[in-house]
Amino acid sequence: MTTEQFVQLWQCFGTVVRAHQEHLDDLDRAIGDGDHGTNLTRGLGKMQDLWKDPIDTERNLADLSKKVGMTLLSTVGGASGALWGSALVKAAPVLPSASACDDETLVLWIETFVSNIEERGKAQVGDKTMVDVMRPAVNWLKASTQEGSARLPVLRELARQWSEDTKDLQARRGRASYLGARSIGHVDPGSFSSALWWACVDRVLGG
Ligand SMILES: [Mg+2]
């Protein structure tokens, strides 16, 4: 991953989240407070300010991860801003202070921020949260990278399916958990936005 691809990844995420803003709000309205799409769109929109300066050699991947995390922390309301933001800040040291990293480092970076999301959110797979997409996706990416072929278009579809699968789960973490069994039958909004992020990983890094 190069710094340019890093920027493209977050620009892509901003674009697809904005395109799905209403849907994300609808999903959150069903089992939460209806602001997930609005919150993420605002934070990712603010991030565009970060890209205004031309990318120069001073921009390094570690620094970018930290800056993206800080921006999400300060602009996205709700749990998702804190989860994405602090995880990206904490995972930043995994990336080199350089303009590119190899595939193993990329996977380690994603794995580190997913672990941070799990720790901070005290969530694991099956709790009907973003972890239901992020954890299996990074595990799948890690395994396929070790085999020498990260088939990102396949992962993109899997991520979408894992998000869809949260419909059948009862929420055990987050606001939706207050609904108990009534949370069953709705897709978790955080899992849906996470699947959008993996679609951008495919779009930007899959070439
Ligand atoms: Mg919300």
Side-chain angles (χ1 to χ4, degrees), residues 124-169:
Q124 49 193 354
V125 171
D127 287 348
K128 197 182 180 94
T129 70
M130 65 191 290
V131 170
D132 286 310
V133 167
M134 297 307 278
R135 172 48 67 187
V138 72
N139 286 354
W140 195 94
L141 178 67
K142 192 177 179 182
S144 67
T145 302
Q146 281 165 353
E147 285 165 15
S149 66
R151 289 169 297 132
L152 292 173
V154 177
L155 181 51
R156 173 194 193 135
E157 286 311 310
L158 285 170
R160 186 193 287 267
Q161 186 57 50
W162 288 323
S163 171
E164 190 62 29
D165 291 346
T166 64
K167 205 171 192 172
D168 302 329
L169 298 172

Side-chain angles (χ1 to χ4, degrees), residues 1-197:
M1 176 173 66
T2 63
T3 47
E4 206 159 48
Q5 287 173 320
F6 185 99
V7 173
Q8 285 168 1
L9 173 61
W10 295 95
Q11 285 177 331
C12 172
F13 193 37
T15 303
V16 295
V17 163
R18 192 167 62 242
H20 291 83
Q21 180 181 342
E22 272 184 43
H23 182 60
L24 288 165
D25 280 346
D26 286 345
L27 291 176
D28 195 24
R29 201 166 291 122
I31 57 171
D33 55 358
D35 61 2
H36 187 61
T38 303
N39 280 341
L40 268 187
T41 299
R42 184 179 53 238
L44 292 165
K46 272 276 177 225
M47 199 176 291
Q48 301 313 314
D49 295 345
L50 283 180
W51 319 133
K52 279 181 183 154
D53 303 330
I55 298 170
D56 56 31
T57 47
E58 306 221 341
R59 284 216 170 165
N60 63 66
L61 287 169
D63 195 40
L64 284 172
S65 181
K66 193 173 158 193
K67 280 184 178 154
V68 166
M70 298 293 285
T71 303
L72 292 178
L73 264 176
S74 61
T75 56
V76 181
S80 53
L83 291 168
W84 277 104
S86 65
L88 287 166
V89 171
K90 287 196 171 164
V94 168
L95 292 174
S97 297
S99 59
C101 71
D102 59 21
D103 289 348
E104 285 71 24
T105 307
L106 168 68
V107 173
L108 185 61
W109 171 65
I110 299 174
E111 193 175 34
T112 305
F113 79 67
V114 171
S115 296
N116 272 292
I117 287 169
E118 289 168 334
E119 279 165 34
R120 196 181 169 103
K122 297 184 181 65
Q124 49 193 354
V125 171
D127 287 348
K128 197 182 180 94
T129 70
M130 65 191 290
V131 170
D132 286 310
V133 167
M134 297 307 278
R135 172 48 67 187
V138 72
N139 286 354
W140 195 94
L141 178 67
K142 192 177 179 182
S144 67
T145 302
Q146 281 165 353
E147 285 165 15
S149 66
R151 289 169 297 132
L152 292 173
V154 177
L155 181 51
R156 173 194 193 135
E157 286 311 310
L158 285 170
R160 186 193 287 267
Q161 186 57 50
W162 288 323
S163 171
E164 190 62 29
D165 291 346
T166 64
K167 205 171 192 172
D168 302 329
L169 298 172
Q170 175 171 335
R172 288 195 295 246
R173 297 295 306 166
R175 195 181 285 264
S177 64
Y178 306 145
L179 294 178
R182 281 183 293 137
S183 64
I184 298 170
H186 304 279
V187 168
D188 174 65
S191 77
F192 192 91
S193 51
S194 295
L196 295 178
W197 188 80

